[in-house]
Each structure stands twice: as C-alpha cells, then as structure tokens.
Amino acid sequence: MNFFYGSNGSGKTTISKLLANPNNYPSCTVKWKSNNKLKTLVYNEDFVQKYFYNRDVLNGIYTMGEGAKEIEEEIKRKNDEINKINEEILNLTEVKKEKENKELEIDNNFKEICWKKGYNKFQNVFPDFFTGYRNNKNKFKEKILEEYRKRSEGPVPNQNEIMSKYNIIYSNNVQKIDFLPNFNQSNLTNIKILEENQTILQTAIVGKKDINISKIIEKLCNHDWVKQGKEYYDNNFDENRGVYICPFCQQDTSDEFRMQLEEYFDETFTNQMKELENYIDNYKIVTDGIQKYFQEILSKQNQYLEEKIIP
C-alpha cells in the first residue's frame, strides 16, 4: 500500500489517475520492477465517486461495493415512481368519490321527479296502481326503471288509453278468462315434414309410354278418366263367355287390350299413386289438427278474440 503526499497542485491526482487507468494516457508510461505488473487499486476522488455513494436521506451512511451507486439510484427512481403512482391513486380516488356523489345526486333528483310527476300527480287518478309503493320513493323509482327496461317498441299510450285498461283490470266485475291452448308442437313438426317432402307433387304421374294404348290416352289427356274406368272394367267380367266388357260402350274387349291396359298402369304408376294418396292423407291430418285448434280457441267465447274470415 502506497500513499502520496504533497501540496495542492503537485500532481498527486494526476499520478493516481495514470496508475489507475494507464490506457487513458497514451503519452505516459508506467514501468514495473522486473516488468512484473501488479494489480493496482487506486483510492482517489474517482474511486469515491465510483464505489462510494453518499445518500441524500441518511448523511454519513455509505454503501460500498462496485455497482452500489447504480443500485441506490435505481431504488431512488423506483421510490419516485411509487410516490407518483400513489399520487395518481389519490387523485383517482378523489375523482371516484366526486363521481359517486354526482351519481347519488342524479339518483336523488330522479327519485324526486318520479315521485312528483308520477305518484303525486296520479295517486288519486289511478289509486290501485300505487298499492305497495306509497311512502317509499326509492321502491317507486325502482319500479319505474324496471318497467322502462321491459318496455316494448312503439308509441307510448296516453292517459285515456291507460285509464281504459285500468278500468278493465280493477273493475269490480272482472271475470276470469280461460288460458288459450298451446299450439300442438306435433302440428308444427308435421307441417315442416310436408314442406320438405313435396317431390310427389312435382311428379307427373302417368302410365307407361312405350305401349300403343298410351298414345291415345296422352293425346286425349284423360289419364284420370281411364284410371277410374279401369276400376269398373276390372269388375265387368262376363264369366259365361270369359271376356271383359267395356263399362262405357258395353263392347267385348280383347286380351291384348286388357294386357295393354294392365301394362299402362304398371307398378311405378301404382307406387306413385300410393305415395300421393299418403301425402294427401297426411296433409288432411295436419289441416284437421290446425282447424281443431282454432275451433277450440273460438269455443272459449273470449270477448277479446276477433273472428275474421280471410278470403
């Protein structure tokens, strides 16, 4: 350990800086005995600034070690941030309190308006309306807000309209009206099924085309007439002579004619007709159910139901 003594300006500080950082002084050279360079630690003002940090809060207390100054500065910066955040919290708390007081003031004003323009104005006009809300301004205000939230779009009824409903509801001659029956869900399901399965309605149901008799039937467009006549034809058999007789002209028919008639109304035709008949039956079931539902409603004799026939 070496100490440098000397008067002010004699070069003590300059020599110490050179020994601490020779590279900062390229024009100077430090020679070591036997060229054996030793680890040099110089205690001067630079060392004090670098390794000792004099805290502002606690004078005379020092923190030693490399990096202590940066740590203390970081602590001070964080404390400043905390103080700033606490100040912001305090300001926001005051703002929150002001908002709450303002909200309370608005609520009280609204409550007074409801009581003045609602209860005081109409308590003698619609006395039964206010049952359970007299002498309770807050409850009356909450009821108004509740009804406001449940309101539907449309014009607000005037006092005369309200009075008309009031007289109905609170009349001494009030009669109980039966509930309307619910629409059967199965009807809705069947309607949907009919709507989704209309293929048979879009199908042209005709007989087989590649036989001679089909040409005359298609030309005359009398499929239904021939189909109905076939039912009579099948029952018009002369057992004595073993022939089928035409139900319209009463003439004997040949076996070939009968074969063509049978072939014309083949299995495809028969299946399509059955499918159409099933569709018609299901349609009738649905329509009968709907008619029964509305007949049941009309049978209630409800004066508030208006029966109209839609052309």
Side-chain angles (χ1 to χ4, degrees), residues 218-229:
E218 292 183 6
K219 184 175 181 179
L220 297 177
C221 296
N222 59 354
H223 302 83
D224 294 338
W225 182 79
V226 175
K227 178 66 172 62
Q228 185 178 9

Side-chain angles (χ1 to χ4, degrees), residues 12-60:
K12 301 187 299 298
T13 300
T14 303
I15 294 174
S16 66
K17 290 183 177 181
L18 171 63
L19 294 175
N21 297 290
N23 295 331
N24 294 341
Y25 302 90
S27 61
C28 300
T29 304
V30 178
K31 293 184 178 181
W32 298 88
K33 183 178 180 179
S34 301
N35 293 323
N36 185 18
K37 184 178 179 180
L38 301 177
K39 180 179 180 181
T40 304
L41 182 63
V42 178
Y43 180 83
N44 56 12
E45 291 182 0
D46 292 342
F47 182 88
V48 173
Q49 290 296 323
K50 184 175 182 180
Y51 294 102
F52 293 83
Y53 180 70
N54 189 353
R55 299 179 60 181
D56 295 335
V57 179
L58 298 176
N59 294 327

Side-chain angles (χ1 to χ4, degrees), residues 36-92:
N36 185 18
K37 184 178 179 180
L38 301 177
K39 180 179 180 181
T40 304
L41 182 63
V42 178
Y43 180 83
N44 56 12
E45 291 182 0
D46 292 342
F47 182 88
V48 173
Q49 290 296 323
K50 184 175 182 180
Y51 294 102
F52 293 83
Y53 180 70
N54 189 353
R55 299 179 60 181
D56 295 335
V57 179
L58 298 176
N59 294 327
I61 304 298
Y62 297 89
T63 303
M64 300 184 62
E66 188 173 2
K69 179 180 178 181
E70 289 78 3
I71 294 173
E72 290 295 328
E73 289 177 348
E74 179 68 14
I75 292 174
K76 184 177 183 301
R77 184 164 58 251
K78 294 297 183 182
N79 285 330
D80 291 340
E81 292 178 0
I82 291 174
N83 292 333
K84 184 178 179 180
I85 293 173
N86 288 334
E87 185 177 353
E88 291 178 355
I89 292 175
L90 181 61
N91 293 334
L92 291 174

Side-chain angles (χ1 to χ4, degrees), residues 76-282:
K76 184 177 183 301
R77 184 164 58 251
K78 294 297 183 182
N79 285 330
D80 291 340
E81 292 178 0
I82 291 174
N83 292 333
K84 184 178 179 180
I85 293 173
N86 288 334
E87 185 177 353
E88 291 178 355
I89 292 175
L90 181 61
N91 293 334
L92 291 174
T93 302
E94 293 177 356
V95 172
K96 178 176 178 289
K97 186 175 180 180
E98 292 177 0
K99 297 291 185 182
E100 289 175 345
N101 292 335
K102 185 65 176 179
E103 181 181 3
L104 181 61
E105 180 183 354
I106 293 173
D107 185 75
N108 288 331
N109 290 336
F110 177 71
K111 180 166 54 180
E112 293 300 324
I113 291 173
C114 292
W115 192 255
K116 180 179 179 180
K117 294 188 176 183
Y119 181 79
N120 289 340
K121 184 176 180 180
F122 296 106
Q123 61 175 322
N124 295 324
V125 181
F126 306 107
D128 293 322
F129 271 178
F130 302 100
T131 301
Y133 299 97
R134 295 185 176 90
N135 302 321
N136 194 328
K137 294 182 179 181
N138 190 65
K139 185 177 179 180
F140 183 67
K141 177 209 68 175
E142 292 297 329
K143 181 60 177 178
I144 289 178
L145 291 175
E146 177 186 345
E147 294 299 326
Y148 175 78
R149 296 186 188 100
K150 295 190 300 184
R151 78 192 190 285
S152 58
E153 298 296 334
V156 178
N158 57 41
Q159 184 172 337
N160 291 333
E161 292 173 333
I162 296 176
M163 177 60 76
S164 176
K165 295 182 179 179
Y166 176 85
N167 291 333
I168 293 174
I169 295 173
Y170 294 98
S171 172
N172 293 328
N173 298 322
V174 173
Q175 295 179 351
K176 181 180 178 181
I177 298 176
D178 294 333
F179 285 107
L180 296 180
N182 293 326
F183 191 74
N184 195 329
Q185 185 64 34
S186 63
N187 285 330
L188 295 177
T189 303
N190 291 332
I191 290 173
K192 185 176 181 181
I193 293 174
L194 290 174
E195 289 177 346
E196 295 176 349
N197 298 277
Q198 297 184 3
T199 306
I200 190 60
L201 299 181
Q202 303 168 2
T203 303
I205 303 177
V206 294
K208 195 173 183 180
K209 294 184 177 182
D210 56 351
I211 56 178
N212 294 332
I213 197 175
S214 66
K215 297 179 181 179
I216 186 65
I217 293 176
E218 292 183 6
K219 184 175 181 179
L220 297 177
C221 296
N222 59 354
H223 302 83
D224 294 338
W225 182 79
V226 175
K227 178 66 172 62
Q228 185 178 9
K230 184 178 181 301
E231 295 178 3
Y232 297 113
Y233 177 77
D234 290 338
N235 295 323
N236 203 18
F237 180 68
D238 189 338
E239 296 182 357
N240 295 327
R241 294 186 297 134
V243 295
Y244 282 90
I245 301 172
C246 176
F248 301 108
C249 66
Q250 301 301 317
Q251 298 293 320
D252 295 347
T253 59
S254 64
D255 291 340
E256 182 181 358
F257 174 81
R258 175 169 177 76
M259 289 178 59
Q260 289 193 25
L261 196 61
E262 292 289 346
E263 192 173 356
Y264 180 78
F265 297 107
D266 59 0
E267 183 178 359
T268 301
F269 177 88
T270 303
N271 291 337
Q272 289 177 339
M273 287 299 298
K274 288 181 179 179
E275 184 178 354
L276 178 60
E277 290 171 356
N278 289 334
Y279 186 91
I280 294 173
D281 291 340
N282 292 331

